[in-house]
Amino acid sequence: MFNKEQKEIPVYVFMGFLGSGKTTFASDTLIKQGFTESAPTLLLACEDGEVEYDEKALNDENIYLEYINDENLTAEHLLELGEKYNPENVMIEYNGMWELDKIFQIRVPKGWTVVQVISFVDASTFDLYVNNMKKIIMDQLRNADMIIFNRCDENTKTSEYRRSIRAVNRRAQVIFEDKSGNPIRTNDEADLPYDIEQDSIVLEEEDFGIFYVDAADNPDKYLGKKIKFKAQAHRPSNYSDKEFVPGRFAMTCCANDIAFIGFKTYYEGAAVLNDRDWVIVEGTIQKEFYPEFEGEGPVIYADSVSMTGPAEDDLVYFNY
């Protein structure tokens, strides 16, 4: 019988819309790659996908398949399944049309811990879903630990997609696969619109978003470099009189989904700045620990901050 006092049971969640490749990935991982090493595993399928599971092959690996709907996705029902199968692992193929609070906030039973969330995206339909189902797909991207774009081809905007996702989810690993399921390599750094080899970087107004994503991903290559850029000032309530964030409002991967992005900056005269003041910042890039990055990220030590007029476009984007 399932013991509530036993060690935590790891839960792996696969998200994505119908046809995004969740079932294929789960089958390959569980059966062909032997991910669970034949430990008792409960597989919960929250929708009937285009690809069916091979239940005999699953049973041979000690994996028990249960189909579950919106009404019985409750902590009580999951605990009943836990008592029935006594699993050491739980895999959930989550319905891409359901709100995520069902799994992250309300209905995960005590003793089960979500340890990894993987979101699958069909690259050939990504723009369509972004334009028509913005909130649902954004929730999936924000909560994922890994994002896999499959069915990619030579027209897939890998650089743009990666930068857009990194603006809303710092921790996620982003992977691109071709139509055969093979990983493809991308060279996003080659597209930088400024010369990273120079000791001093002057950003054009439209390049701030690209700089933000690349510097956040690769703080070491910017360490010690001089930087000059136009931004809007923001002073969080928990910052001292010598700290502020010069940044820009950016349109992320979804139309009309706007986020303010920028790096913490140290400046002796920060106390006189008002939110949304347009300024020219000149300073040196260093790095320090960022809780939201789960590691070190860029900070700027400003030599000068001067008032200026607004940018030609209020928003920055993540494409060229």
Side-chain angles (χ1 to χ4, degrees):
M1 178 173 290
F2 179 70
N3 183 356
K4 294 183 180 180
E5 299 302 320
Q6 71 181 27
K7 66 180 181 180
E8 296 287 315
I9 295 177
V11 179
Y12 303 87
V13 181
F14 305 144
M15 299 189 298
F17 293 111
L18 190 67
S20 62
K22 301 189 301 294
T23 303
T24 299
F25 179 86
S27 295
D28 288 346
T29 301
L30 295 172
I31 299 173
K32 295 181 180 179
Q33 300 179 30
F35 176 76
T36 61
E37 298 181 337
S38 297
T41 298
L42 177 59
L43 172 60
L44 302 176
C46 299
E47 62 183 349
D48 292 321
E50 297 176 345
V51 178
E52 295 184 356
Y53 285 105
D54 184 338
E55 294 196 41
K56 181 181 183 304
L58 289 174
N59 290 336
D60 289 343
E61 293 293 327
N62 212 15
I63 299 166
Y64 308 103
L65 175 65
E66 288 277 350
Y67 286 92
I68 195 165
N69 58 36
D70 185 31
E71 293 181 357
N72 62 14
L73 182 58
T74 64
E76 293 76 16
H77 183 60
L78 295 184
L79 282 173
E80 291 175 2
L81 294 177
E83 292 178 350
K84 179 179 179 180
Y85 294 109
N86 195 23
E88 294 182 18
N89 306 282
V90 176
M91 321 289 285
I92 301 178
E93 182 186 337
Y94 200 68
N95 189 316
M97 298 301 295
W98 292 354
E99 295 290 337
L100 293 182
D101 61 1
K102 295 174 184 176
I103 198 69
F104 291 113
Q105 298 177 16
I106 301 173
R107 301 182 183 180
V108 176
K110 183 178 179 181
W112 293 21
T113 302
V114 176
V115 296
Q116 187 176 40
V117 178
I118 303 176
S119 184
F120 294 86
V121 180
D122 182 345
S124 66
T125 59
F126 180 59
D127 289 336
L128 178 65
Y129 278 119
V130 160
N131 291 329
N132 292 281
M133 307 186 75
K134 178 180 67 176
K135 183 181 184 304
I136 294 177
I137 196 167
M138 282 299 293
D139 283 347
Q140 293 182 12
L141 298 177
R142 285 193 180 104
N143 287 282
D145 301 301
M146 178 185 296
I147 299 169
I148 299 176
F149 282 84
N150 50 43
R151 301 181 179 92
C152 297
D153 58 25
E154 64 276 7
N155 297 315
T156 301
K157 298 175 287 187
T158 58
S159 298
E160 181 178 335
Y161 291 166
R162 187 190 300 276
R163 287 191 295 268
S164 297
I165 288 171
R166 299 300 280 169
V168 297
N169 185 340
R170 298 298 323 147
R171 73 182 186 281
Q173 181 182 5
V174 183
I175 298 172
F176 298 94
E177 295 179 345
D178 63 21
K179 294 181 179 180
S180 298
N182 300 312
I184 60 176
R185 299 184 65 179
T186 62
N187 187 11
D188 300 332
E189 182 176 305
D191 292 338
L192 291 175
Y194 47 83
D195 188 354
I196 190 63
E197 299 302 324
Q198 297 296 316
D199 293 332
S200 181
I201 299 171
V202 179
L203 296 180
E204 300 295 332
E205 291 181 0
E206 64 270 19
D207 294 338
F208 184 84
I210 297 162
F211 158 73
Y212 171 82
V213 171
D214 193 61
D217 281 347
N218 308 284
D220 285 342
K221 75 179 185 183
Y222 288 86
L223 195 62
K225 291 188 180 294
K226 296 290 186 179
I227 186 78
K228 179 179 180 180
F229 59 93
K230 177 182 285 192
Q232 286 187 280
H234 171 55
R235 295 197 62 237
S237 58
N238 62 329
Y239 275 26
S240 74
D241 288 345
K242 299 180 180 180
E243 301 169 348
F244 79 111
V245 179
R248 297 289 303 274
F249 286 94
M251 181 175 292
T252 62
C253 56
C254 297
N256 300 320
D257 193 80
I258 309 299
F260 185 80
I261 57 174
F263 296 124
K264 184 177 184 179
T265 296
Y266 296 95
Y267 176 59
E268 289 291 335
V272 303
L273 299 173
N274 299 309
D275 274 359
R276 303 229 177 174
D277 279 347
W278 283 97
V279 293
I280 297 291
V281 177
E282 297 185 60
T284 303
I285 302 173
Q286 301 293 342
K287 66 178 182 179
E288 66 180 36
F289 180 80
Y290 269 70
E292 59 268 40
F293 288 0
E294 300 180 356
E296 293 183 323
V299 295
I300 299 171
Y301 285 81
D303 299 315
S304 68
V305 176
S306 56
M307 296 296 178
T308 190
E312 184 174 341
D313 192 334
D314 286 342
L315 299 177
V316 292
Y317 306 86
F318 297 97
N319 51 6
Y320 307 128

